[in-house]
Amino acid sequence: MGSSSISGISSSTSGASTGQVRSRVNESKRELLRNMKIFVLDNSLRESTMGQVVGHSIGDKLKVFDATSGCGFTHQIVGCFSSNRRVDDKFAAVLQERKHSDRTFYSFSEVYEKLDDKRRFFKNHVPTGLKKMQTFGIPNPIIEVDCAADFTASEFLDQLTFLLQWSSENMSAPPPGQKRMTFINLRDFPVSMIECPDKVLELVQGIAMMPPSIRPVGMLQEEPIGEYFADEVAAWNQEVRDTMDANGWPSLFQQDGETLDGLLLAHVHKQWGLADAVVLDVLAAGADGVWCSICEEGAAMGHASSCVTLANLARLGNKDVLTRYQTQKLATAAREVTKLTTNKNVPERQIVYGPRAIESVFGFSGIAGGAADASFDKDGDGVIDEVDHFSLAKFLGVEEPPIRVNSLSSPDLVVRRLKQCFGDCPEFTEDITKLMLVKMIQQLEDNIEFEHTSPMGISMLWKEVTGSFHPR
């Protein structure tokens, strides 16, 4: 066998004979994700409702707003306006009355609404989205561009320059000492990077070279199809980042963690199970953060959420997540937004913030939901430290993970579950829980199916073995 490389991970077999230390993990990617600063542009108010059977009422929106604000998300997309009235119109008026001076609000606008008789941009036309933002006092537009549309990069740049200048002169001024937080969203990012990549990068270059007085603070990109591999989207993202850097528009946020300029944020829809991996690869390829909802609801099959992304970064050792956001509130907020959006509880197998996500399930190690192996160097960096012992439960503010009793549970796990349900008791011993596990198997062999995790369920199993309900 020779050697090969996939995503930068060497699989050479020569190390054994040369004495070289071989890495079986992607050290460079892990280091990038561990050390980056992470910016979240919260889109829970808009993304969560996309494609839902029932939309958000005004009351729902206020609850979503409060839930996500408690997580430390101070940059929030609050609406998407059009010529037709939407619930967002009323909600924006409510926010205007409440005067949230500690929040930075954004809304979407099309880059154009009208074309002239030659099918070109209608000169000096201001889209409805921007006009309504002016009315509601929302100072920060997200202007959406479909680069694959039949316009040149120069035409897009001329139209954007006009809109950015108009916004600067006509929309509410940002708070004293702050600049206007405008973003340009590459809405058809994968399509345009396949069909017209040169036009996309020419557009990014032109935006980067705009006068600082009107230049946006950053670019957004989205993968709305859920079709493409993580390395594909990451490569496209890297091209955008490199173009921004080469034209005097680097991320100042990554330099000091505070200055918001040169930002590049990602948004990925779910369709084929790739979304969360795409987000991580894009972050490692020059993105500064994400724009998304705190939960996965939204679009046809959902999207990569901030709750899952932040948890992923934290498990890789990212400290910025822990200091910038209120992580102990993430799961609660994600569950609440899910319930407000779907009128249903979070699915049991939802990763990170679902009810099963932090359960202890097995008494042995080497498996998700199993016991931690204190001697295993999980990230392969040669040091066993807190990264190798990351606890999702503690990250989310839960000191003791709940235990799920099942036929593969160890006697010790069942003892711990008894104590979780009923407190300490000298009769809760492994001798008895071994018998309880035997009884569980006997029931299944006799086609008797019960759950044994809830207080009632484990009480019934205790009674089957001891002849009485639990001692307390």
Side-chain angles (χ1 to χ4, degrees):
M1 294 177 63
S3 65
S4 62
S5 179
I6 301 175
S7 301
I9 306 177
S10 172
S11 61
S12 171
T13 58
S14 62
S17 59
T18 63
Q20 296 175 347
V21 176
R22 295 177 298 166
S23 175
R24 294 296 190 180
V25 299
N26 194 325
E27 294 176 353
S28 60
K29 182 189 294 186
R30 288 172 178 270
E31 183 177 6
L32 284 167
L33 295 173
R34 182 167 57 249
N35 294 326
M36 72 175 296
K37 283 87 174 176
I38 181 73
F39 183 88
V40 174
L41 175 55
D42 182 60
N43 196 24
S44 300
L45 288 161
R46 280 297 309 162
E47 186 69 29
S48 302
T49 63
M50 286 187 61
Q52 296 294 346
V53 176
V54 179
H56 284 163
S57 66
I58 294 297
D60 290 338
K61 285 183 175 292
L62 289 171
K63 291 176 182 177
V64 170
F65 177 81
D66 291 339
T68 53
S69 297
C71 298
F73 299 153
T74 58
H75 293 261
Q76 295 174 296
I77 301 172
V78 297
C80 181
F81 306 115
S82 72
S83 56
N84 297 322
R85 183 172 177 82
R86 295 173 172 173
V87 179
D88 291 348
D89 295 59
K90 176 68 177 292
F91 179 65
V94 171
L95 286 182
Q96 192 174 26
E97 293 177 0
R98 289 175 53 160
K99 301 184 185 301
H100 292 275
S101 59
D102 59 338
R103 299 287 181 267
T104 303
F105 293 151
Y106 304 76
S107 180
F108 294 101
S109 173
E110 297 292 332
V111 71
Y112 73 94
E113 284 178 327
K114 291 184 178 181
L115 298 177
D116 62 20
D117 55 3
K118 296 182 180 179
R119 305 296 296 170
R120 309 327 290 164
F121 291 129
F122 197 89
K123 192 172 180 60
N124 296 334
H125 173 72
V126 179
T128 302
L130 288 178
K131 290 182 177 179
K132 287 193 174 182
M133 291 179 67
Q134 180 187 30
T135 299
F136 295 125
I138 300 172
N140 306 301
I142 299 171
I143 303 175
E144 303 207 273
V145 176
D146 296 319
C147 290
D150 188 23
F151 302 99
T152 66
S154 295
E155 287 177 306
F156 275 125
L157 286 168
D158 288 343
Q159 177 71 355
L160 286 171
T161 299
F162 163 69
L163 296 179
L164 292 168
Q165 188 66 52
W166 184 91
S167 300
S168 178
E169 295 172 355
N170 294 278
M171 293 176 66
S172 298
Q178 297 184 21
K179 65 177 295 185
R180 192 176 305 281
M181 296 287 295
T182 305
F183 285 97
I184 308 300
N185 180 30
L186 304 176
R187 184 166 53 187
D188 63 343
F189 189 55
V191 174
S192 57
M193 287 302 287
I194 290 172
E195 293 188 349
C196 52
D198 291 341
K199 182 165 73 170
V200 176
L201 299 181
E202 183 182 349
L203 175 63
V204 173
Q205 180 183 36
I207 295 171
M209 298 177 68
M210 286 180 174
S213 59
I214 64 168
R215 186 176 68 185
V217 297
M219 301 291 301
L220 308 183
Q221 57 96 330
E222 62 176 298
E223 206 288 64
I225 308 173
E227 169 74 22
Y228 297 98
F229 294 135
D231 59 340
E232 294 171 333
V233 186
W236 300 332
N237 189 85
Q238 189 68 64
E239 289 185 80
V240 173
R241 176 79 272 169
D242 291 344
T243 301
M244 295 171 71
D245 291 350
N247 291 277
W249 203 21
S251 172
L252 301 184
F253 178 68
Q254 292 303 325
Q255 297 178 22
D256 62 17
E258 296 180 3
T259 305
L260 303 179
D261 195 29
L263 291 169
L264 178 56
L265 308 181
H267 176 77
V268 183
H269 284 197
K270 288 180 175 291
Q271 190 64 34
W272 300 106
L274 303 172
D276 294 314
V278 171
V279 169
L280 290 179
D281 270 24
V282 166
L283 291 174
D288 296 282
V290 291
W291 63 282
C292 56
S293 172
I294 192 170
C295 69
E296 294 184 353
E297 296 301 325
M301 292 294 293
H303 72 297
S305 70
S306 57
C307 184
V308 173
T309 296
L310 294 177
N312 258 320
L313 291 172
R315 75 174 176 83
L316 294 170
N318 187 293
K319 301 294 187 185
D320 187 72
V321 168
L322 304 179
T323 57
R324 195 176 296 276
Y325 303 107
Q326 301 297 317
T327 65
Q328 71 278 8
K329 297 181 180 180
L330 289 174
T332 300
R335 294 182 197 124
E336 184 173 356
V337 175
T338 300
K339 184 68 176 288
L340 289 166
T341 301
T342 65
N343 293 324
K344 298 178 181 178
N345 291 327
V346 171
E348 287 196 356
R349 292 197 300 111
Q350 168 64 51
I351 60 172
V352 176
Y353 59 90
R356 290 188 176 186
I358 61 173
E359 288 182 342
S360 294
V361 183
F362 308 111
F364 48 90
S365 61
I367 187 172
D373 184 349
S375 65
F376 180 48
D377 179 14
K378 188 182 296 183
D379 60 2
D381 64 353
V383 178
I384 298 175
D385 54 19
E386 59 187 5
V387 176
D388 301 299
H389 300 151
F390 175 78
S391 166
L392 176 61
K394 291 183 179 179
F395 171 77
L396 297 174
V398 179
E399 283 301 317
E400 184 179 9
I403 290 168
R404 185 195 315 165
V405 176
N406 63 94
S407 59
L408 293 179
S409 295
S410 64
D412 174 63
L413 274 183
V414 181
V415 170
R416 287 166 54 194
R417 181 58 184 163
L418 284 166
K419 292 180 179 179
Q420 285 182 345
C421 292
F422 309 114
D424 287 332
C425 175
E427 294 188 43
F428 294 161
T429 66
E430 291 190 24
D431 288 338
I432 291 182
T433 57
K434 287 177 183 178
L435 297 175
M436 293 170 68
L437 290 167
V438 170
K439 174 57 70 174
M440 187 188 303
I441 299 299
Q442 290 175 348
Q443 288 177 339
L444 293 173
E445 290 175 346
D446 293 336
N447 291 316
I448 300 172
E449 297 180 359
F450 291 118
E451 64 82 24
H452 299 296
T453 298
S454 69
M456 178 58 72
I458 201 168
S459 290
M460 294 299 294
L461 186 60
W462 175 276
K463 182 177 183 295
E464 287 289 317
V465 170
T466 65
S468 63
F469 281 106
H470 67 84
R472 300 201 174 181

